Amino acid sequence: MNLFPCSFVLEMILVKVTKVGASIVRTSMDMGMIFLVVSALLVTVTADVYIVTIEGDPIISYKGGENGYEATAVESDEKIDTSSELVTSYARHLERKHDMILGMLFEEGSYKKLYSYKHLINGFAVHVSPEQAETLRRTPGVKSVNKDWKVRRLTTHTPEFLGLPTDVWPTGGGFERAGEDIVIGFVDSGIYPHHPSFASHHRLPYGPLHHYKGKCEEDPHTKKSFCNRKIVGAQHFAEAAKAAGAFNPNIDYASPMDGDGHGSHTAAIAAGNNGIPLRMHGYEFGRASGMAPRARIAVYKALYRLFGGFVADVVAAIDQAVHDGVDILSLSVGPNSPPTTTKTTFLNPFDAILLGAVKAGVFVAQAAGNGGPFPKTLVSYSPWITTVAAAIDDRRYKNHLTLGNGKMLAGMGLSPSTRPHRLYTLVSANDVLLDSSASKYNPSDCQRPEVFNKKLVEGKILLCGYSFNFVVGTASIKKVVATVKHLGAAGFVLVVENVSPGTKFDPVPSAVPGILITDVSKSMDLIDYYNVSTTRDWTGRVKSFKAEGSIGDGLAPVYHKSAPQVALFSARGPNTKDFSFQDADLLKPDILAPGYLIWAAWCPNGTDEPNYVGEGFALISGTSMAAPHIAGIAALVKQKYPQWSPAAIKSALMTTSTVIDRAGRLLQAQQYSDTEAVTLVKATPFDYGSGHVNPHAALDPGLVFDAGYEDYLGFLCTTPGIDSHEIRNYTNTPCNYDMKHPSNFNAASIAISHLVGTQTITRRVTNVAEVEETYTITARMQPSTAIEVNPPAMTLRPGASRIFSVTLTVRSVSGVYSFGEVKLKGSRGHKVRIPVVALGHRH
């Protein structure tokens, strides 16, 4: 029988129906759309493909119970005989149910069922109108109705996930105005200015920028400027790198040109143009957009492909950016190791110079770091910086390999399927070598087509080993694809036989059918099947290849409600005040934003990811991807409230964030289990800070927790262990101790790392709404700590500020932090929430 993977729906056609009269003309389009045009009426009815799942088990998990149909599910190490009468009769039964539901609900000719899914899921794909889809949703027995994933815009798909096109951009005049006149500075690896994500032609003309004074370097070869009307500044900083003998102008480019890929990617996430077709290998994965697609880009290149960067160059770049007048700084960079000049995290060179940037009114978003899921792995520490953790959004990519014995092995691979309804012979790389190549190379990673016997590989699926070379970057899936193409193979399977804890596997786009089997037990199933099916002579040479298989369609994303989640690699708190890792009285990270498998622009000569060399887009992960999401969203807030301080913008983002996922549950975080497997646990503020960003709510926060330069100095001066002379050295300002304790810093969070007995702290809120509003204040905490707030309610006129207090008392000393929150609920609908963390001590 036909085995349709869940992701097979991506290959469905879309049909747009336009009623304008009596005759019908059918025209086929290369994007798989069919337009039915009927002449005379002026009414337009749009139909889409929907994926519908219904109650009842599919074949693979049906254990019996329906009258007249015996169980089809078998134990995991047994095959399903898909041609058996048991399976075929149950399959017919399911399909009849699908047809019956549609026939009962809709008139014949008003819908078109495209597929029935019976093996992996129980459901169907149907082409109907939105009204018909809503009817299906309300039908008893229907579990879910989801619009076809192919037409969903990815972006990064994250603009849709964050609600920007529907809830945010329209409030500021649409995407054509989103981020207008805001300049975002990127201290990164440069930019590829020829990418369509950064083009300014065919766009609404940009007006003059009076507040930005950055300069534009010329390409040393073409003598053309790196700037256009969208890229308004482009400079590179490499003097420290040159002095260290690390800079090679032929590789690193003595210009703002991106030789790595990372800088183009981060710039596009924050401020790339809207609606850029994201095409790779002949397939369109969606349309890319930055968070603030109208914002301008200023490039300050200080990172390089081979050696990273030097602090001196990065500091120079930040300094220049602030000087030039950027509004926002996006930093996907942090120190590799503690500085030798200070023991204080808040006064390391990055944070110290960024204090000056914030003093100048620049909002700074910095990646939290990729050292998770272990505690105290942050590389961004200070209250004047917005520290961004990385989330997994709702889009996942999955694929599967079907073996000739009926077993289906899950894996990943952004690839097309092998030809439907057909099995292909499987050949192991080690069994199809040219005799002369056996001793020269280790061929199992399939990087060199010349070592294989093309006659034995052509038209077959090549089995390759996922060696350590792939982890370190000396082997790539891109080269496997090139090998398969050269040999004329039908596809490839990369088999993971050994895996180290923490090894990260990401789906990689492929022009040919391919899959990566990451589960070692599934890999063993494949190897066992291959060995049993392959006959050999006494020397071990293969006499006949009898193992068969087919590769599913991995191009379609699957959308999960269990999102967002904190990514495994995202650095965790608690925050530290010194490089002896003593806990700080300040919560970090500050906020969570998408950072896993993010599509965005790439430069063709970028080498940061070997699988994307020569490509125009890349799908990569990291808190480096999360920070520009916040930079772009901050630009939208800055556009609406141009006079707001960086602290006010940060507060708006934090207090309106969410700790609930799309399924209505508390956020979860990826973590290692006792067996070092990746699992999900309840997330805490040390994972996500205040929560996952909610751009729509951030544009109308009601209240903000504002702070300025004097507040930051007060935080430094009251932090135990910091030398006041050191503070004066960095700030040129004597200490002011009026704050009394660093926990009194007016952050949109509360952290007390050493709570003894009872401690009362204060917060000051300012009404930024246009009307008077009364707020009721409530608080809750885990049982080991008591919490009280005062006053219980307060009324604020527009622009007015009020102070409230929070009192924490140790009930029991557990040795672990207790978590809670303070909520301020406004009479006009505003909701403000700040997280609270405290560690109780006896003395």
Side-chain angles (χ1 to χ4, degrees):
M1 65 176 291
N2 299 337
L3 302 178
F4 295 130
C6 302
S7 54
F8 191 76
V9 295
L10 197 60
E11 295 306 308
M12 297 177 196
I13 57 174
L14 301 170
V15 180
K16 182 176 281 188
V17 181
T18 308
K19 292 186 177 179
V20 286
S23 62
I24 295 178
V25 180
R26 177 173 289 188
T27 306
S28 177
M29 303 294 286
D30 58 4
M31 279 303 294
M33 288 191 174
I34 297 174
F35 294 89
L36 304 180
V37 183
V38 189
S39 46
L41 296 171
L42 297 177
V43 181
T44 299
V45 179
T46 301
D48 290 298
V49 174
Y50 291 84
I51 315 306
V52 182
T53 59
I54 65 173
E55 291 177 358
D57 289 318
I59 292 166
I60 204 164
S61 58
Y62 174 60
K63 296 181 180 179
E66 295 207 30
N67 190 28
Y69 299 97
E70 295 182 28
T72 56
V74 295
E75 296 298 325
S76 59
D77 57 348
E78 295 180 28
K79 67 176 183 178
I80 293 180
D81 182 2
T82 55
S83 63
S84 71
E85 179 58 25
L86 280 178
V87 172
T88 56
S89 64
Y90 185 63
R92 289 192 297 268
H93 167 66
L94 291 180
E95 188 157 5
R96 283 194 297 268
K97 285 179 68 174
H98 302 164
D99 294 337
M100 184 177 67
I101 290 172
L102 290 168
M104 289 174 59
L105 293 174
F106 309 124
E107 291 183 13
E108 187 176 353
S110 69
Y111 69 91
K112 183 177 181 180
K113 189 189 75 171
L114 302 178
Y115 300 100
S116 274
Y117 299 105
K118 304 169 291 252
H119 195 84
L120 298 177
I121 60 171
N122 178 16
F124 49 87
V126 64
H127 175 255
V128 289
S129 69
E131 291 78 12
Q132 289 172 306
E134 190 59 38
T135 299
L136 278 165
R137 283 194 185 95
R138 296 194 300 265
T139 301
V142 171
K143 289 164 53 177
S144 67
V145 179
N146 291 296
K147 195 173 179 181
D148 173 35
W149 298 311
K150 184 175 184 179
V151 298
R152 294 190 64 164
R153 298 187 174 188
L154 314 181
T155 288
T156 68
H157 164 72
T158 47
E160 283 74 23
F161 180 68
L162 296 170
L164 297 178
T166 54
D167 299 332
V168 177
W169 292 341
T171 66
F175 73 85
E176 299 93 341
R177 298 292 183 187
E180 186 80 67
D181 294 335
I182 304 298
V183 179
I184 306 178
F186 297 88
V187 178
D188 215 299
S189 64
I191 198 164
Y192 183 65
H194 313 298
H195 198 283
S197 288
F198 312 124
S200 59
H201 57 276
H202 304 310
R203 301 275 160 184
L204 196 67
Y206 281 101
L209 266 182
H210 299 293
H211 73 286
Y212 180 74
K213 308 298 181 185
K215 67 179 182 179
C216 296
E217 294 181 18
E218 291 183 346
D219 188 305
H221 302 293
T222 66
K223 304 304 179 184
K224 291 183 178 180
S225 172
F226 274 87
C227 292
N228 54 30
R229 288 182 293 275
K230 183 168 184 67
I231 302 172
V232 294
Q235 302 170 61
H236 82 288
F237 300 82
E239 295 306 310
K242 292 175 182 176
F247 186 84
N248 182 339
N250 296 321
I251 298 174
D252 298 311
Y253 301 113
S255 76
M257 177 64 76
D258 189 358
D260 178 275
H262 193 272
S264 300
H265 201 270
T266 55
I269 291 170
N273 289 326
N274 181 66
I276 304 303
L278 204 161
R279 296 191 185 100
M280 193 176 294
H281 308 310
Y283 184 81
E284 185 171 311
F285 287 94
R287 290 181 178 258
S289 175
M291 302 296 104
R294 187 67 174 171
R296 316 288 185 98
I297 293 170
V299 177
Y300 299 87
K301 178 180 173 181
L303 301 180
Y304 298 87
R305 64 164 78 178
L306 293 181
F307 58 86
F310 289 82
V311 169
D313 291 331
V314 173
V315 168
I318 295 170
D319 187 64
Q320 186 66 47
V322 177
H323 170 271
D324 292 343
V326 300
D327 300 293
I328 312 285
L329 261 181
S330 180
L331 294 176
S332 294
V333 59
N336 287 338
S337 57
T340 57
T341 54
T342 179
K343 293 184 293 184
T344 304
T345 53
F346 311 125
L347 294 177
N348 78 76
F350 281 98
D351 292 51
I353 194 169
L354 291 173
L355 175 57
V358 172
K359 185 180 182 183
V362 178
F363 176 91
V364 179
Q366 185 181 22
N370 295 334
F374 308 106
K376 299 188 180 182
T377 47
L378 297 159
V379 296
S380 177
Y381 313 98
S382 298
W384 48 89
I385 298 169
T386 301
T387 302
V388 189
I392 300 171
D393 64 28
D394 61 343
R395 186 191 62 210
R396 318 287 161 80
Y397 290 101
K398 297 180 180 180
N399 205 345
H400 66 273
L401 172 70
T402 303
L403 300 179
N405 62 9
K407 186 168 288 188
M408 302 188 70
L409 307 180
M412 61 175 60
L414 277 165
S415 82
S417 65
T418 49
R419 191 170 298 173
H421 321 310
R422 178 178 168 184
L423 294 175
Y424 291 80
T425 301
L426 307 178
V427 294
S428 170
N430 289 324
D431 289 331
V432 290
L433 290 172
L434 292 169
D435 290 342
S436 60
S437 303
S439 60
K440 286 186 179 180
Y441 306 106
N442 177 8
S444 65
D445 54 12
C446 299
Q447 301 292 288
R448 306 176 69 93
E450 65 271 19
V451 306
F452 297 107
N453 186 330
K454 185 174 182 178
K455 291 182 179 179
L456 293 178
V457 179
E458 196 168 15
K460 302 177 179 66
I461 293 176
L462 182 62
L463 305 183
C464 311
Y466 192 89
S467 66
F468 186 68
N469 294 331
F470 287 91
V471 179
V472 298
T474 55
S476 70
I477 295 176
K478 189 177 183 72
K479 287 184 178 179
V480 176
V481 172
T483 296
V484 167
K485 283 184 172 181
H486 183 85
L487 298 173
F492 68 90
V493 180
L494 273 168
V495 182
V496 177
E497 297 181 59
N498 296 288
V499 63
S500 301
T503 301
K504 184 164 65 80
F505 299 105
D506 288 342
V508 174
S510 167
V512 301
I515 187 170
L516 171 64
I517 306 295
T518 59
D519 187 323
V520 174
S521 66
K522 300 288 192 299
S523 296
M524 293 302 106
D525 288 344
L526 171 58
I527 292 169
D528 291 343
Y529 166 68
Y530 179 82
N531 288 336
V532 168
S533 305
T534 304
T535 58
R536 303 175 185 271
D537 62 21
W538 65 273
T539 67
R541 186 184 297 271
V542 174
K543 293 170 63 178
S544 63
F545 296 99
K546 293 295 178 69
E548 294 181 316
S550 64
I551 297 169
D553 189 323
L555 294 170
V558 178
Y559 293 91
H560 288 252
K561 285 188 175 180
S562 57
Q565 297 170 353
V566 182
L568 184 73
F569 57 80
S570 186
R572 309 297 211 262
N575 192 16
T576 52
K577 65 182 181 181
D578 57 36
F579 291 105
S580 299
F581 295 98
Q582 293 188 67
D583 291 9
D585 293 301
L586 179 74
L587 179 64
K588 290 284 179 173
D590 292 305
I591 199 162
L592 185 66
Y596 177 72
L597 296 183
I598 304 299
W599 278 114
W602 200 247
C603 61
N605 52 2
T607 58
D608 188 45
E609 294 283 341
N611 288 312
Y612 295 99
V613 173
E615 303 294 350
F617 293 92
L619 181 72
I620 56 178
S621 304
T623 54
S624 286
M625 284 67 252
H629 277 89
I630 292 299
I633 295 166
L636 301 177
V637 179
K638 177 81 172 176
Q639 179 187 12
K640 184 173 182 179
Y641 305 104
Q643 302 306 315
W644 277 16
S645 68
I649 296 173
K650 178 181 177 181
S651 170
L653 295 171
M654 291 178 65
T655 61
T656 58
S657 63
T658 180
V659 293
I660 304 297
D661 69 15
R662 294 296 170 90
R665 299 172 302 196
L666 291 172
L667 291 181
Q668 294 180 298
Q670 289 187 332
Q671 184 57 263
Y672 288 128
S673 68
D674 293 338
T675 61
E676 297 186 325
V678 177
T679 186
L680 288 172
V681 299
K682 181 182 175 182
T684 76
F686 291 146
D687 303 318
Y688 55 66
S690 59
H692 192 274
V693 64
N694 180 347
H696 176 61
L699 291 177
D700 184 21
L703 301 175
V704 296
F705 295 74
D706 208 352
Y709 188 67
E710 292 298 324
D711 298 295
Y712 299 126
L713 288 181
F715 171 82
L716 291 172
C717 293
T718 56
T719 295
I722 299 184
D723 188 335
S724 61
H725 298 291
E726 189 178 13
I727 296 171
R728 185 162 188 164
N729 287 340
Y730 277 99
T731 64
N732 298 312
T733 307
C735 262
N736 183 332
Y737 299 98
D738 291 345
M739 192 174 286
K740 298 181 181 178
H741 192 277
S743 293
N744 285 320
F745 171 74
N746 202 45
S749 61
I750 295 172
I752 303 178
S753 64
H754 197 95
L755 177 63
V756 178
T758 296
Q759 184 173 336
T760 298
I761 59 174
T762 59
R763 286 293 183 269
R764 182 183 68 257
V765 290
T766 302
N767 183 5
V768 293
E770 296 179 351
V771 294
E772 181 176 279
E773 192 162 4
T774 298
Y775 285 85
T776 56
I777 310 175
T778 58
R780 64 178 184 84
M781 205 74 183
Q782 289 176 332
S784 59
T785 305
I787 187 168
E788 294 180 5
V789 290
N790 188 50
M794 56 188 184
T795 300
L796 294 91
R797 293 177 179 176
S801 298
R802 289 285 302 272
I803 291 175
F804 69 92
S805 65
V806 180
T807 300
L808 298 168
T809 302
V810 177
R811 281 177 170 164
S812 62
V813 176
S814 62
V816 296
Y817 276 88
S818 56
F819 303 107
E821 62 185 8
V822 174
K823 288 185 175 181
L824 295 90
K825 186 175 181 180
S827 57
R828 296 184 179 271
H830 290 109
K831 296 178 181 179
V832 176
R833 183 188 52 80
I834 63 171
V836 181
V837 301
L839 181 59
H841 291 260
R842 297 188 192 282
H843 50 75

